[in-house]
Amino acid sequence: MSQAIRQSVSWDGRGNWALSGGAVGGLSRAGLHRMREVLAGYVESGAVPGLVALVGRGDQVHVEALGTLHAAHRSARRSGARPDGPAGGGSDGALHGASEGAPVGAPMRRDTLFRMASLTKPVTAAAVMILVEECRLRLDDPVETWLPELANRRVLTRIDASLDDTVPARRSITVRDLLTLTFGFGLVPAPPDTYPIQVAVRERGVIGDGTANWPTVGPDEWIEQLGALPLMYQPGERWQYHVGSDVLGVLVSRVAGRSFGEFLRERLFEPLGMVDTGFHVPADRMHRLSTSYAHDPETGELTIWDEAVGGKYSRPPVFEAGGDGLVSTVDDYHAFHRMLLNKGRHGDERVLSRASVELMSMDHLTPEQKVEKDRFGDLFGRHGGYGFGMAVRTRRRDLASVNQFGWDGGLGTTAYTDPAERLTGILLTQTAMDCADTPRLHQDFWTTVYRTLDD
């Protein structure tokens, strides 16, 4: 057995380190053992340096921490590439993948910090619903009241049109459009620079990709740059990934009169006890942040996407990205999902109304709006539906129940809740979903999660 596996730990929410026979709280001990074996296989094979996994049902919580924070082999090279793009500028392989924050071989722990990537989106949607409940926002209000940069939109006549080949928008962009990612602007399912709008987006730097490629300018300048471009589709016409969540972060900040991060901390993170969640990692916690890896598209080797010390999360960002900016731990994010599972309650405190959670976790898309989403196949199309900031399962095509909700992150994270089973699963890795290994790991994790059910 490899050193990484020997360093792994296993425990449940009550501190039980040894597992044997039977079931506890509706979770099968045999199923939990099987989950550990499957996850350990991915670490042992080198597909991921390490991971932290959680399965929770009722009051029973089981956590696995396997492997290391940083890859210990010489093939972990620096890369200037995006996880979904070509590798570039790597070193000669001399790097061992460790940051100064923690030594090579430092084991994954329950409190290890991960870049959550697009698991930020449901949190952003919850923040918007807090403002809706306070009547400071309304779902079908035009956002131009708060975001005048998005008033009087022009829309491309077709996706491959020149930027001046436009027609007036039929209506204003609404809060609902942003929550459902149907406001008319987002990632294009085509190779880079295929269309003029993609070139303009790249040149203006107004769009991320769900992998913490945040804008390099502040929110006011970013929304101004976005407003200078035409929409790709009419508001409400089609689901397009990612950008709507970044716009929501700017909207929340303007409505609340303080930074997006401050609002999240006061209204979500502090009430939920999410003490390690935010848009950067303080210096005294840097040793808990794992290195983030992508894959060289030619060799498949791990390349360093983001270091811990000196990396993107080592300092506050100029743009707090509502689409993919948060860093968190498995327990912090479980607190958020458990609140949703409990219809907005956390202990004795109500964070969201039951009605808001139900609205967030129901499908809001028409078949016509889903055309773009379903083009992404198993990545975005497998769930069937989309609510506010997260997927909603509308059909059963694997072990998960209908009405399961949650999302995945391009840097290797996945989290869903199944209300029918009172079940939450979270898997955090530091390896991007830019090759087959990480999606397979996610799929096998979810298979073993449902194998733990014992009633």
Side-chain angles (χ1 to χ4, degrees), residues 71-132:
H73 51 75
R74 296 178 63 85
S75 64
R77 301 178 293 115
R78 274 198 184 94
S79 171
R82 301 185 330 194
D84 61 345
S91 74
D92 62 0
L95 287 174
H96 289 236
S99 300
E100 298 173 12
V104 170
M108 283 286 181
R109 296 170 46 90
R110 188 168 183 160
D111 64 354
T112 295
L113 292 157
F114 291 87
R115 300 155 188 82
M116 303 303 283
S118 288
L119 294 195
T120 303
K121 290 176 170 66
V123 177
T124 298
V128 173
M129 292 310 298
I130 290 173
L131 294 174
V132 169

Side-chain angles (χ1 to χ4, degrees), residues 198-390:
Q198 292 174 283
V199 176
V201 162
R202 174 178 53 78
E203 291 176 346
R204 290 179 177 268
V206 300
I207 196 169
D209 58 11
T211 62
N213 268 312
W214 313 312
T216 57
V217 297
D220 291 339
E221 183 178 347
W222 179 81
I223 201 75
E224 182 179 357
Q225 293 284 348
L226 178 63
L229 294 173
L231 297 178
M232 301 175 187
Y233 296 97
Q234 289 287 342
E237 181 180 359
R238 186 167 295 189
W239 185 93
Q240 286 185 284
Y241 192 49
H242 185 69
V243 184
S245 294
D246 280 344
V247 177
L248 286 173
V250 181
L251 177 65
V252 168
S253 177
R254 290 195 179 176
V255 174
R258 52 192 184 275
S259 76
F260 184 41
E262 289 172 341
F263 183 85
L264 290 179
R265 184 178 66 253
E266 294 170 10
R267 302 304 303 275
L268 278 173
F269 301 158
E270 289 181 356
L272 292 173
M274 298 172 66
V275 297
D276 286 318
T277 303
F279 288 104
H280 81 288
V281 179
D284 61 354
R285 302 180 191 177
M286 190 59 63
H287 63 285
R288 291 164 48 200
L289 178 63
S290 59
T291 300
S292 181
Y293 296 93
H295 296 88
D296 187 307
E298 295 181 0
T299 67
E301 292 181 347
L302 290 178
T303 60
I304 295 175
W305 166 236
D306 185 41
E307 299 269 16
V309 174
K312 294 168 70 74
Y313 284 90
S314 63
R315 55 196 176 275
V318 296
F319 186 91
E320 296 175 328
D324 59 0
L326 288 176
V327 61
S328 190
T329 65
V330 74
D331 283 309
D332 273 15
Y333 206 73
H334 183 225
F336 174 72
H337 260 261
R338 189 159 183 168
M339 178 272 292
L340 296 178
L341 179 61
N342 291 330
K343 301 294 186 181
R345 296 195 69 87
H346 177 71
D348 295 330
E349 184 171 357
R350 179 161 291 283
V351 178
L352 282 173
S353 70
R354 175 181 56 81
S356 286
V357 174
E358 291 174 350
L359 197 61
M360 288 177 62
S361 57
M362 64 178 286
D363 183 20
H364 290 269
L365 301 184
T366 66
E368 293 76 20
Q369 290 172 324
K370 294 177 183 180
V371 169
E372 195 93 330
K373 180 178 73 68
D374 291 346
R375 284 181 184 172
F376 285 88
D378 279 349
L379 186 60
F380 295 146
R382 71 183 187 275
H383 317 91
Y386 195 83
F388 288 172
M390 56 188 176

Side-chain angles (χ1 to χ4, degrees), residues 142-202:
V143 298
E144 59 206 46
T145 301
W146 298 100
L147 304 174
E149 298 91 341
L150 300 185
N152 303 315
R153 295 288 75 217
R154 305 286 300 184
V155 183
L156 294 175
T157 58
R158 59 188 186 278
I159 193 63
D160 61 350
S162 63
L163 298 188
D164 57 359
D165 187 3
T166 63
V167 296
R170 300 188 192 110
R171 63 169 177 82
S172 297
I173 297 166
T174 67
V175 177
R176 189 187 304 271
D177 293 332
L178 295 175
L179 284 165
T180 57
L181 301 185
T182 59
F183 83 106
F185 199 97
L187 295 185
V188 178
D193 293 354
T194 298
Y195 307 128
I197 187 64
Q198 292 174 283
V199 176
V201 162
R202 174 178 53 78

Side-chain angles (χ1 to χ4, degrees), residues 427-446:
L427 175 65
L428 305 181
T429 81
Q430 75 272 55
T431 307
M433 296 179 67
D434 58 350
C435 77
D437 284 344
T438 309
R440 284 196 194 107
L441 167 58
H442 286 194
Q443 184 176 2
D444 289 348
F445 167 69
W446 286 109

